[in-house]
Amino acid sequence: MHSRLADANLLDIADKLDAGVRLTLEDGCRLFECPDLLAVGWLANREREKRHGPQTYFNFNIRLEATNVCVASCLFCAFARLKPGDAGAYTMSLEQVWDKLRQRRTQPLTEIHVVNGLHPELPFDYYTEMLRGFKRIRPDVRLKCFTAVEIAFFADLYGMTDEQVLHELIAAGLDSLPGGGAEIFAERVRRKIANDKCGSDRYLEIHRIAHRLGLKTNITMLYGHIETAEERVDHMLRARALQDETAGFQAFIPLAFHPDNNQMRKLPAPSAADTLRVHAVSRLMLDNIPHVKAFWIATGVEVAQTALWFGVDDLDGTVQEEKIYHMAGARTPEALTTREIERLILAAGRQPVERDTFYNPVVHEAAASLKSRSA
Ligand code: V47
């Protein structure tokens, strides 16, 4: 590998990684420009294996989007409808939301992931009651709900501080924040594609507060539209800087842009090669975030599987009900079973580990009692 890294002009970066020296903005840009994708992937895989060996995490989860009514008009979004009553707009009643979980009462789910539009007319207790109801139905399931963008919106709409909103949601059962809404932090891009969302500093501040209040959270990056390589690396560095302060991020999740049915539909979707590289560079830049996740709904199942050799150690999970990507043209299935996820991890030569929201391995009672009986 030494001569290949030398030919790819990556020896100095490999040396830095060996010595535990942090990569810079310039290093990150070079990793994006390097023509030898396999050399970049090899370095990322080495970092992945240092942290996790062959282990590859996944989660038995469900996705819920309770409303797609959203005051924001993000250029990449095919999911949102501006007003209640607009064609295709929906808002579930709390009973309908809870029914989604009741219907899965017997599934060994460990997490519900909720992302909503920014609805201008719902009361705050719609959200707190939603969480309380989930906990009544399944006290054992972890609630990873509401992006930092939604938290900022609640604070402005209901006249609270970001911290008060988080306090109330935690009191109602919130366990973790998902990473959605990060998009690209660089102001040039954010102003163009997500102008109605809270700014980057507030997104990061809300995660800072959440970490201080004891929550673990995720962070995403929407790539493959109008952002430059430098803006991708800048995004990663802002995540890394906050992680130095708080250590509260569990996973970094690059999200591949899907161009159907939105205002950026003229752009091509990112290629498989670009997707593998983005995940690899994320692993290399983010030395302090434990997990890099490939969201198979966004990348495609086969590319997510291949990414397990390009720095990725987490495949999200079963997902089950997904709308945001499928409305934007995703051709991936809407759900995978745990058996299917395990099979695709094993077929990639990696070791599947079902995890909960906090990356504790999950042992199902039936499997555990079978094991103890055969021991
Ligand atoms: O914030 C919306 C993105 C995100 C499109 O935390 C699009 O574990 C591509 O954040 N093309 C929501 N992306 C999903 C999300 C997520 C997914 C998986 C795991 C986790 C986690 C979080 O979806 C939005 C936005 O960045 N998005 N539309 C589109 N057309």
Side-chain angles (χ1 to χ4, degrees):
M1 202 59 205
H2 187 272
S3 71
R4 186 153 190 172
L5 289 172
D7 290 347
N9 194 25
L10 292 179
L11 272 185
D12 59 329
I13 290 184
D15 287 345
K16 276 187 172 181
L17 292 165
D18 279 337
V21 174
R22 285 203 141 162
L23 303 188
T24 62
L25 180 72
E26 194 211 332
D27 295 329
C29 293
R30 278 176 53 207
L31 289 163
F32 273 112
E33 282 151 19
C34 171
D36 189 342
L37 173 61
L38 280 185
V40 176
W42 187 85
L43 288 173
N45 186 53
R46 210 173 51 153
E47 293 305 308
R48 179 243 203 256
E49 289 184 357
K50 267 187 215 162
R51 289 165 178 79
H52 308 291
Q55 297 200 327
T56 299
Y57 299 93
F58 69 95
N59 186 216
F60 199 140
N61 59 355
I62 176 179
R63 173 70 84 79
L64 265 173
E65 293 103 348
T67 179
N68 66 349
V69 173
C70 189
V71 297
S73 304
C74 299
L75 295 194
F76 52 82
C77 188
F79 169 71
R81 298 292 178 272
L82 214 47
K83 294 189 300 297
D86 284 356
Y90 73 87
T91 302
M92 294 182 195
S93 68
L94 285 175
E95 284 301 332
Q96 286 172 323
V97 173
W98 294 330
D99 266 348
K100 295 276 181 196
L101 183 58
R102 287 190 192 110
Q103 286 156 13
R104 296 188 161 79
R105 203 189 279 275
T106 57
Q107 279 188 354
L109 286 173
T110 61
E111 179 183 283
I112 307 178
H113 175 177
V114 177
V115 187
N116 297 317
L118 307 177
H119 194 302
E121 285 160 21
L122 291 169
F124 186 48
D125 66 9
Y126 176 84
Y127 304 100
T128 50
E129 281 311 302
M130 184 186 298
L131 300 179
R132 290 200 168 90
F134 286 147
K135 288 284 184 186
R136 273 195 302 273
I137 300 164
R138 283 287 297 269
D140 54 320
V141 167
R142 296 296 184 174
L143 306 181
K144 185 178 81 181
C145 306
F146 317 126
T147 65
V149 168
E150 291 169 80
I151 304 295
F153 177 73
F154 297 158
D156 295 346
L157 186 66
Y158 306 121
M160 298 158 84
T161 64
D162 297 339
E163 181 159 349
Q164 282 167 338
V165 170
L166 284 166
H167 259 299
E168 301 266 329
L169 293 172
I170 292 169
L174 183 73
D175 291 303
S176 170
L177 291 186
E183 321 313 358
I184 287 283
F185 291 141
E187 283 68 24
R188 177 193 80 85
V189 179
R190 198 171 185 83
R191 252 197 313 274
K192 282 195 184 143
I193 68 166
N195 194 35
D196 305 322
K197 281 186 171 160
C198 72
S200 309
D201 289 346
R202 189 158 177 207
Y203 175 98
L204 290 165
E205 178 60 20
I206 288 170
H207 281 270
R208 181 182 284 112
I209 298 168
H211 298 164
R212 180 157 47 75
L213 297 179
L215 296 185
K216 292 287 185 191
T217 71
N218 290 337
I219 181 161
T220 58
M221 177 179 80
L222 179 70
Y223 68 92
H225 43 91
I226 60 166
E227 83 290 359
T228 62
E230 186 172 336
E231 286 161 341
R232 291 175 177 180
V233 183
D234 165 73
H235 187 98
M236 295 172 196
L237 293 183
R238 293 194 208 196
R240 189 173 82 180
L242 179 54
Q243 182 73 344
D244 278 343
E245 274 179 52
T246 66
F249 289 125
Q250 300 197 107
F252 185 82
I253 312 157
L255 294 171
F257 168 60
H258 276 251
D260 287 0
N261 306 321
N262 58 46
Q263 295 177 68
M264 295 201 288
R265 59 185 162 266
K266 294 219 168 83
L267 296 177
S271 66
D274 194 25
T275 287
L276 293 174
R277 187 186 297 266
V278 170
H279 288 79
V281 177
S282 304
R283 181 62 286 160
L284 292 168
M285 297 305 300
L286 295 167
D287 55 359
N288 56 359
I289 298 189
H291 303 281
V292 174
K293 182 191 283 192
F295 185 44
W296 56 265
I297 295 252
T299 59
V301 174
E302 291 81 5
V303 177
Q305 184 187 38
T306 312
L308 300 181
W309 291 90
F310 285 76
V312 167
D313 65 280
D314 186 333
L315 287 184
D316 197 83
T318 49
V319 185
Q320 309 200 62
E321 294 216 14
E322 199 286 326
K323 294 195 175 67
I324 296 176
Y325 283 86
H326 288 91
M327 288 170 87
R331 282 170 198 76
T332 42
E334 284 189 31
L336 289 176
T337 62
T338 49
R339 180 74 60 84
E340 286 168 330
I341 297 175
E342 279 170 348
R343 243 189 261 131
L344 75 89
I345 294 170
L346 287 168
R350 297 304 207 185
Q351 182 191 331
V353 179
E354 186 182 338
R355 61 163 177 86
D356 67 10
T357 301
F358 306 117
Y359 289 83
N360 301 306
V362 171
V363 183
H364 293 291
E365 273 170 30
S369 74
L370 258 184
K371 240 189 200 163
S372 68
R373 257 187 276 150
S374 64

